[in-house]
PDB file of all heavy atoms in Angstrom:
ATOM      1  N   GLU B   8    -125.056-201.025 125.663  1.00  0.00           N
ATOM      2  CA  GLU B   8    -125.564-201.650 126.879  1.00  0.00           C
ATOM      3  C   GLU B   8    -125.341-203.150 126.711  1.00  0.00           C
ATOM      4  O   GLU B   8    -125.854-203.751 125.763  1.00  0.00           O
ATOM      5  CB  GLU B   8    -127.041-201.346 127.093  1.00  0.00           C
ATOM      6  CG  GLU B   8    -127.538-201.879 128.441  1.00  0.00           C
ATOM      7  CD  GLU B   8    -129.028-201.659 128.648  1.00  0.00           C
ATOM      8  OE1 GLU B   8    -129.818-202.022 127.764  1.00  0.00           O
ATOM      9  OE2 GLU B   8    -129.405-201.140 129.717  1.00  0.00           O
ATOM     10  N   VAL B   9    -124.563-203.715 127.609  1.00  0.00           N
ATOM     11  CA  VAL B   9    -124.164-205.114 127.473  1.00  0.00           C
ATOM     12  C   VAL B   9    -124.986-205.972 128.426  1.00  0.00           C
ATOM     13  O   VAL B   9    -124.893-205.831 129.648  1.00  0.00           O
ATOM     14  CB  VAL B   9    -122.658-205.269 127.801  1.00  0.00           C
ATOM     15  CG1 VAL B   9    -122.202-206.705 127.595  1.00  0.00           C
ATOM     16  CG2 VAL B   9    -121.833-204.321 126.946  1.00  0.00           C
ATOM     17  N   ASN B  10    -125.785-206.840 127.838  1.00  0.00           N
ATOM     18  CA  ASN B  10    -126.616-207.734 128.636  1.00  0.00           C
ATOM     19  C   ASN B  10    -125.795-208.963 129.013  1.00  0.00           C
ATOM     20  O   ASN B  10    -125.527-209.810 128.171  1.00  0.00           O
ATOM     21  CB  ASN B  10    -127.846-208.128 127.807  1.00  0.00           C
ATOM     22  CG  ASN B  10    -128.657-209.233 128.453  1.00  0.00           C
ATOM     23  OD1 ASN B  10    -128.501-209.501 129.640  1.00  0.00           O
ATOM     24  ND2 ASN B  10    -129.518-209.861 127.677  1.00  0.00           N
ATOM     25  N   ILE B  11    -125.381-209.054 130.282  1.00  0.00           N
ATOM     26  CA  ILE B  11    -124.527-210.184 130.685  1.00  0.00           C
ATOM     27  C   ILE B  11    -125.355-211.308 131.315  1.00  0.00           C
ATOM     28  O   ILE B  11    -124.828-212.150 132.034  1.00  0.00           O
ATOM     29  CB  ILE B  11    -123.379-209.743 131.630  1.00  0.00           C
ATOM     30  CG1 ILE B  11    -123.912-209.070 132.903  1.00  0.00           C
ATOM     31  CG2 ILE B  11    -122.406-208.849 130.904  1.00  0.00           C
ATOM     32  CD1 ILE B  11    -122.848-208.865 133.977  1.00  0.00           C
ATOM     33  N   SER B  12    -126.638-211.323 131.022  1.00  0.00           N
ATOM     34  CA  SER B  12    -127.492-212.371 131.600  1.00  0.00           C
ATOM     35  C   SER B  12    -127.672-213.556 130.659  1.00  0.00           C
ATOM     36  O   SER B  12    -128.423-214.482 130.972  1.00  0.00           O
ATOM     37  CB  SER B  12    -128.862-211.797 131.933  1.00  0.00           C
ATOM     38  OG  SER B  12    -128.719-210.574 132.599  1.00  0.00           O
ATOM     39  N   CYS B  13    -127.025-213.499 129.513  1.00  0.00           N
ATOM     40  CA  CYS B  13    -127.215-214.588 128.538  1.00  0.00           C
ATOM     41  C   CYS B  13    -126.278-215.760 128.827  1.00  0.00           C
ATOM     42  O   CYS B  13    -125.230-215.579 129.419  1.00  0.00           O
ATOM     43  CB  CYS B  13    -126.984-214.062 127.131  1.00  0.00           C
ATOM     44  SG  CYS B  13    -128.429-213.205 126.519  1.00  0.00           S
ATOM     45  N   LYS B  48    -125.482-204.371 131.951  1.00  0.00           N
ATOM     46  CA  LYS B  48    -126.809-204.644 132.506  1.00  0.00           C
ATOM     47  C   LYS B  48    -126.759-205.879 133.400  1.00  0.00           C
ATOM     48  O   LYS B  48    -126.420-206.978 132.947  1.00  0.00           O
ATOM     49  CB  LYS B  48    -127.802-204.851 131.362  1.00  0.00           C
ATOM     50  CG  LYS B  48    -129.203-205.102 131.850  1.00  0.00           C
ATOM     51  CD  LYS B  48    -130.177-204.930 130.736  1.00  0.00           C
ATOM     52  CE  LYS B  48    -131.574-205.310 131.161  1.00  0.00           C
ATOM     53  NZ  LYS B  48    -132.516-205.169 130.066  1.00  0.00           N
ATOM     54  N   LEU B  73    -129.856-201.922 135.761  1.00  0.00           N
ATOM     55  CA  LEU B  73    -130.450-203.061 136.441  1.00  0.00           C
ATOM     56  C   LEU B  73    -131.896-202.723 136.803  1.00  0.00           C
ATOM     57  O   LEU B  73    -132.218-201.537 136.969  1.00  0.00           O
ATOM     58  CB  LEU B  73    -129.640-203.440 137.700  1.00  0.00           C
ATOM     59  CG  LEU B  73    -129.491-202.380 138.805  1.00  0.00           C
ATOM     60  CD1 LEU B  73    -129.555-203.020 140.157  1.00  0.00           C
ATOM     61  CD2 LEU B  73    -128.155-201.656 138.643  1.00  0.00           C
ATOM     62  N   ILE B  74    -132.781-203.759 136.796  1.00  0.00           N
ATOM     63  CA  ILE B  74    -132.466-205.176 136.726  1.00  0.00           C
ATOM     64  C   ILE B  74    -133.003-205.792 135.431  1.00  0.00           C
ATOM     65  O   ILE B  74    -133.947-205.278 134.845  1.00  0.00           O
ATOM     66  CB  ILE B  74    -133.078-205.941 137.940  1.00  0.00           C
ATOM     67  CG1 ILE B  74    -134.585-205.843 137.978  1.00  0.00           C
ATOM     68  CG2 ILE B  74    -132.439-205.550 139.193  1.00  0.00           C
ATOM     69  CD1 ILE B  74    -135.266-206.727 139.035  1.00  0.00           C
ATOM     70  N   ASN B  75    -132.377-206.899 135.050  1.00  0.00           N
ATOM     71  CA  ASN B  75    -132.960-207.724 133.997  1.00  0.00           C
ATOM     72  C   ASN B  75    -134.109-208.531 134.625  1.00  0.00           C
ATOM     73  O   ASN B  75    -134.446-208.329 135.781  1.00  0.00           O
ATOM     74  CB  ASN B  75    -131.882-208.639 133.405  1.00  0.00           C
ATOM     75  CG  ASN B  75    -132.139-208.920 131.936  1.00  0.00           C
ATOM     76  OD1 ASN B  75    -133.273-209.218 131.552  1.00  0.00           O
ATOM     77  ND2 ASN B  75    -131.111-208.817 131.110  1.00  0.00           N
ATOM     78  N   THR B  76    -134.701-209.415 133.885  1.00  0.00           N
ATOM     79  CA  THR B  76    -135.855-210.167 134.408  1.00  0.00           C
ATOM     80  C   THR B  76    -135.430-211.191 135.465  1.00  0.00           C
ATOM     81  O   THR B  76    -134.296-211.672 135.464  1.00  0.00           O
ATOM     82  CB  THR B  76    -136.564-210.915 133.262  1.00  0.00           C
ATOM     83  OG1 THR B  76    -135.601-211.649 132.527  1.00  0.00           O
ATOM     84  CG2 THR B  76    -137.291-209.956 132.353  1.00  0.00           C
ATOM     85  N   GLY B  97    -138.367-215.205 131.766  1.00  0.00           N
ATOM     86  CA  GLY B  97    -138.091-213.968 132.507  1.00  0.00           C
ATOM     87  C   GLY B  97    -139.367-213.289 132.967  1.00  0.00           C
ATOM     88  O   GLY B  97    -140.257-213.016 132.174  1.00  0.00           O
ATOM     89  N   LEU B  98    -139.427-213.009 134.270  1.00  0.00           N
ATOM     90  CA  LEU B  98    -140.565-212.273 134.845  1.00  0.00           C
ATOM     91  C   LEU B  98    -140.215-210.786 134.876  1.00  0.00           C
ATOM     92  O   LEU B  98    -139.145-210.400 135.366  1.00  0.00           O
ATOM     93  CB  LEU B  98    -140.847-212.783 136.262  1.00  0.00           C
ATOM     94  CG  LEU B  98    -141.995-212.089 137.007  1.00  0.00           C
ATOM     95  CD1 LEU B  98    -143.340-212.380 136.349  1.00  0.00           C
ATOM     96  CD2 LEU B  98    -142.014-212.540 138.471  1.00  0.00           C
ATOM     97  N   SER B  99    -141.126-209.954 134.350  1.00  0.00           N
ATOM     98  CA  SER B  99    -140.888-208.508 134.309  1.00  0.00           C
ATOM     99  C   SER B  99    -142.151-207.796 134.793  1.00  0.00           C
ATOM    100  O   SER B  99    -143.122-208.436 135.203  1.00  0.00           O
ATOM    101  CB  SER B  99    -140.573-208.085 132.868  1.00  0.00           C
ATOM    102  OG  SER B  99    -141.720-208.276 132.045  1.00  0.00           O
ATOM    103  N   GLY B 100    -142.149-206.474 134.734  1.00  0.00           N
ATOM    104  CA  GLY B 100    -143.355-205.701 135.058  1.00  0.00           C
ATOM    105  C   GLY B 100    -143.536-205.431 136.542  1.00  0.00           C
ATOM    106  O   GLY B 100    -142.615-205.641 137.345  1.00  0.00           O
ATOM    107  N   PRO B 101    -144.748-204.969 136.929  1.00  0.00           N
ATOM    108  CA  PRO B 101    -144.989-204.505 138.313  1.00  0.00           C
ATOM    109  C   PRO B 101    -144.597-205.514 139.392  1.00  0.00           C
ATOM    110  O   PRO B 101    -144.191-205.112 140.483  1.00  0.00           O
ATOM    111  CB  PRO B 101    -146.501-204.252 138.333  1.00  0.00           C
ATOM    112  CG  PRO B 101    -146.864-203.968 136.924  1.00  0.00           C
ATOM    113  CD  PRO B 101    -145.932-204.786 136.074  1.00  0.00           C
ATOM    114  N   ILE B 103    -142.069-207.235 139.769  1.00  0.00           N
ATOM    115  CA  ILE B 103    -140.648-207.228 140.170  1.00  0.00           C
ATOM    116  C   ILE B 103    -140.181-205.866 140.684  1.00  0.00           C
ATOM    117  O   ILE B 103    -139.032-205.725 141.088  1.00  0.00           O
ATOM    118  CB  ILE B 103    -139.723-207.715 139.019  1.00  0.00           C
ATOM    119  CG1 ILE B 103    -139.648-206.684 137.867  1.00  0.00           C
ATOM    120  CG2 ILE B 103    -140.173-209.075 138.499  1.00  0.00           C
ATOM    121  CD1 ILE B 103    -138.537-207.004 136.849  1.00  0.00           C
ATOM    122  N   MET B 125    -134.405-199.961 136.348  1.00  0.00           N
ATOM    123  CA  MET B 125    -135.601-200.445 135.630  1.00  0.00           C
ATOM    124  C   MET B 125    -136.152-201.675 136.329  1.00  0.00           C
ATOM    125  O   MET B 125    -135.456-202.326 137.113  1.00  0.00           O
ATOM    126  CB  MET B 125    -135.258-200.770 134.171  1.00  0.00           C
ATOM    127  CG  MET B 125    -134.645-202.120 133.947  1.00  0.00           C
ATOM    128  SD  MET B 125    -133.870-202.261 132.358  1.00  0.00           S
ATOM    129  CE  MET B 125    -132.278-201.553 132.707  1.00  0.00           C
ATOM    130  N   GLY B 126    -137.402-201.993 135.987  1.00  0.00           N
ATOM    131  CA  GLY B 126    -138.067-203.159 136.559  1.00  0.00           C
ATOM    132  C   GLY B 126    -139.429-202.739 137.076  1.00  0.00           C
ATOM    133  O   GLY B 126    -139.551-202.241 138.192  1.00  0.00           O
ATOM    134  N   GLY B 127    -140.444-202.862 136.217  1.00  0.00           N
ATOM    135  CA  GLY B 127    -141.804-202.588 136.652  1.00  0.00           C
ATOM    136  C   GLY B 127    -142.203-201.133 136.648  1.00  0.00           C
ATOM    137  O   GLY B 127    -143.200-200.764 137.280  1.00  0.00           O
ATOM    138  N   ILE B 128    -141.468-200.296 135.938  1.00  0.00           N
ATOM    139  CA  ILE B 128    -141.877-198.881 135.877  1.00  0.00           C
ATOM    140  C   ILE B 128    -143.070-198.761 134.935  1.00  0.00           C
ATOM    141  O   ILE B 128    -142.963-199.024 133.739  1.00  0.00           O
ATOM    142  CB  ILE B 128    -140.717-197.981 135.401  1.00  0.00           C
ATOM    143  CG1 ILE B 128    -139.569-198.037 136.409  1.00  0.00           C
ATOM    144  CG2 ILE B 128    -141.213-196.534 135.210  1.00  0.00           C
ATOM    145  CD1 ILE B 128    -138.342-197.246 136.017  1.00  0.00           C
ATOM    146  N   MET B 129    -144.231-198.398 135.502  1.00  0.00           N
ATOM    147  CA  MET B 129    -145.458-198.269 134.711  1.00  0.00           C
ATOM    148  C   MET B 129    -145.884-196.812 134.560  1.00  0.00           C
ATOM    149  O   MET B 129    -146.631-196.476 133.646  1.00  0.00           O
ATOM    150  CB  MET B 129    -146.612-199.060 135.357  1.00  0.00           C
ATOM    151  CG  MET B 129    -146.329-200.549 135.551  1.00  0.00           C
ATOM    152  SD  MET B 129    -145.866-201.407 134.030  1.00  0.00           S
ATOM    153  CE  MET B 129    -147.465-201.629 133.256  1.00  0.00           C
ATOM    154  N   GLU B 146    -135.091-196.983 132.584  1.00  0.00           N
ATOM    155  CA  GLU B 146    -135.498-197.603 131.318  1.00  0.00           C
ATOM    156  C   GLU B 146    -136.885-198.216 131.522  1.00  0.00           C
ATOM    157  O   GLU B 146    -137.246-198.577 132.648  1.00  0.00           O
ATOM    158  CB  GLU B 146    -134.510-198.692 130.897  1.00  0.00           C
ATOM    159  CG  GLU B 146    -133.136-198.146 130.553  1.00  0.00           C
ATOM    160  CD  GLU B 146    -132.172-199.242 130.117  1.00  0.00           C
ATOM    161  OE1 GLU B 146    -132.610-200.292 129.594  1.00  0.00           O
ATOM    162  OE2 GLU B 146    -130.964-199.060 130.314  1.00  0.00           O
ATOM    163  N   ILE B 147    -137.622-198.318 130.430  1.00  0.00           N
ATOM    164  CA  ILE B 147    -138.998-198.824 130.509  1.00  0.00           C
ATOM    165  C   ILE B 147    -139.192-199.911 129.466  1.00  0.00           C
ATOM    166  O   ILE B 147    -138.942-199.685 128.280  1.00  0.00           O
ATOM    167  CB  ILE B 147    -139.996-197.661 130.297  1.00  0.00           C
ATOM    168  CG1 ILE B 147    -139.871-196.679 131.475  1.00  0.00           C
ATOM    169  CG2 ILE B 147    -141.422-198.178 130.158  1.00  0.00           C
ATOM    170  CD1 ILE B 147    -140.648-195.411 131.322  1.00  0.00           C
ATOM    171  N   GLY B 148    -139.597-201.100 129.921  1.00  0.00           N
ATOM    172  CA  GLY B 148    -139.811-202.216 129.004  1.00  0.00           C
ATOM    173  C   GLY B 148    -141.271-202.601 128.917  1.00  0.00           C
ATOM    174  O   GLY B 148    -142.014-202.173 128.028  1.00  0.00           O
ATOM    175  N   THR B 149    -141.730-203.393 129.884  1.00  0.00           N
ATOM    176  CA  THR B 149    -143.069-203.991 129.874  1.00  0.00           C
ATOM    177  C   THR B 149    -144.191-202.964 129.686  1.00  0.00           C
ATOM    178  O   THR B 149    -145.149-203.215 128.953  1.00  0.00           O
ATOM    179  CB  THR B 149    -143.275-204.778 131.190  1.00  0.00           C
ATOM    180  OG1 THR B 149    -142.243-205.771 131.262  1.00  0.00           O
ATOM    181  CG2 THR B 149    -144.627-205.461 131.251  1.00  0.00           C
ATOM    182  N   ALA B 150    -144.062-201.810 130.321  1.00  0.00           N
ATOM    183  CA  ALA B 150    -145.128-200.791 130.231  1.00  0.00           C
ATOM    184  C   ALA B 150    -145.409-200.422 128.777  1.00  0.00           C
ATOM    185  O   ALA B 150    -146.550-200.086 128.431  1.00  0.00           O
ATOM    186  CB  ALA B 150    -144.745-199.553 131.039  1.00  0.00           C
ATOM    187  N   PHE B 152    -145.571-202.317 126.290  1.00  0.00           N
ATOM    188  CA  PHE B 152    -146.487-203.289 125.669  1.00  0.00           C
ATOM    189  C   PHE B 152    -147.944-202.931 125.992  1.00  0.00           C
ATOM    190  O   PHE B 152    -148.850-203.206 125.227  1.00  0.00           O
ATOM    191  CB  PHE B 152    -146.211-204.715 126.166  1.00  0.00           C
ATOM    192  CG  PHE B 152    -144.916-205.286 125.656  1.00  0.00           C
ATOM    193  CD1 PHE B 152    -143.736-205.117 126.357  1.00  0.00           C
ATOM    194  CD2 PHE B 152    -144.871-206.001 124.465  1.00  0.00           C
ATOM    195  CE1 PHE B 152    -142.540-205.631 125.892  1.00  0.00           C
ATOM    196  CE2 PHE B 152    -143.688-206.518 123.988  1.00  0.00           C
ATOM    197  CZ  PHE B 152    -142.516-206.341 124.705  1.00  0.00           C
TER     198      PHE B 152
HETATM  199  C1  FMN M   1    -140.486-209.308 125.967  1.00  0.00           C
HETATM  200  C2  FMN M   1    -139.225-208.913 126.670  1.00  0.00           C
HETATM  201  C3  FMN M   1    -138.020-209.073 126.007  1.00  0.00           C
HETATM  202  C4  FMN M   1    -136.810-208.712 126.637  1.00  0.00           C
HETATM  203  N1  FMN M   1    -135.630-208.871 125.963  1.00  0.00           N
HETATM  204  C5  FMN M   1    -134.459-208.459 126.542  1.00  0.00           C
HETATM  205  C6  FMN M   1    -133.222-208.568 125.827  1.00  0.00           C
HETATM  206  O1  FMN M   1    -133.160-209.018 124.691  1.00  0.00           O
HETATM  207  N2  FMN M   1    -132.105-208.143 126.463  1.00  0.00           N
HETATM  208  C7  FMN M   1    -132.119-207.614 127.717  1.00  0.00           C
HETATM  209  O2  FMN M   1    -131.083-207.220 128.240  1.00  0.00           O
HETATM  210  N3  FMN M   1    -133.291-207.523 128.417  1.00  0.00           N
HETATM  211  C8  FMN M   1    -134.441-207.914 127.858  1.00  0.00           C
HETATM  212  N4  FMN M   1    -135.632-207.814 128.552  1.00  0.00           N
HETATM  213  C9  FMN M   1    -135.607-207.310 129.933  1.00  0.00           C
HETATM  214  C10 FMN M   1    -136.005-205.828 130.007  1.00  0.00           C
HETATM  215  O3  FMN M   1    -135.127-205.027 129.233  1.00  0.00           O
HETATM  216  C11 FMN M   1    -135.990-205.316 131.458  1.00  0.00           C
HETATM  217  O4  FMN M   1    -134.706-205.444 132.001  1.00  0.00           O
HETATM  218  C12 FMN M   1    -136.968-206.078 132.351  1.00  0.00           C
HETATM  219  O5  FMN M   1    -138.099-206.522 131.625  1.00  0.00           O
HETATM  220  C13 FMN M   1    -137.438-205.236 133.530  1.00  0.00           C
HETATM  221  O6  FMN M   1    -138.037-204.028 133.106  1.00  0.00           O
HETATM  222  P1  FMN M   1    -139.619-203.871 132.824  1.00  0.00           P
HETATM  223  O7  FMN M   1    -140.339-204.424 134.020  1.00  0.00           O
HETATM  224  O8  FMN M   1    -139.799-202.397 132.591  1.00  0.00           O
HETATM  225  O9  FMN M   1    -139.902-204.675 131.577  1.00  0.00           O
HETATM  226  C14 FMN M   1    -136.835-208.180 127.944  1.00  0.00           C
HETATM  227  C15 FMN M   1    -138.074-208.020 128.603  1.00  0.00           C
HETATM  228  C16 FMN M   1    -139.263-208.392 127.981  1.00  0.00           C
HETATM  229  C17 FMN M   1    -140.577-208.219 128.732  1.00  0.00           C
END
Side-chain angles (χ1 to χ4, degrees):
E8 186 183 51
V9 183
N10 170 17
I11 58 169
S12 314
C13 280
K48 182 165 174 181
L73 60 142
I74 61 172
N75 211 315
T76 51
L98 179 67
S99 66
I103 70 169
M125 82 196 84
I128 297 177
M129 302 304 281
E146 294 181 27
I147 294 172
T149 302
F152 290 90

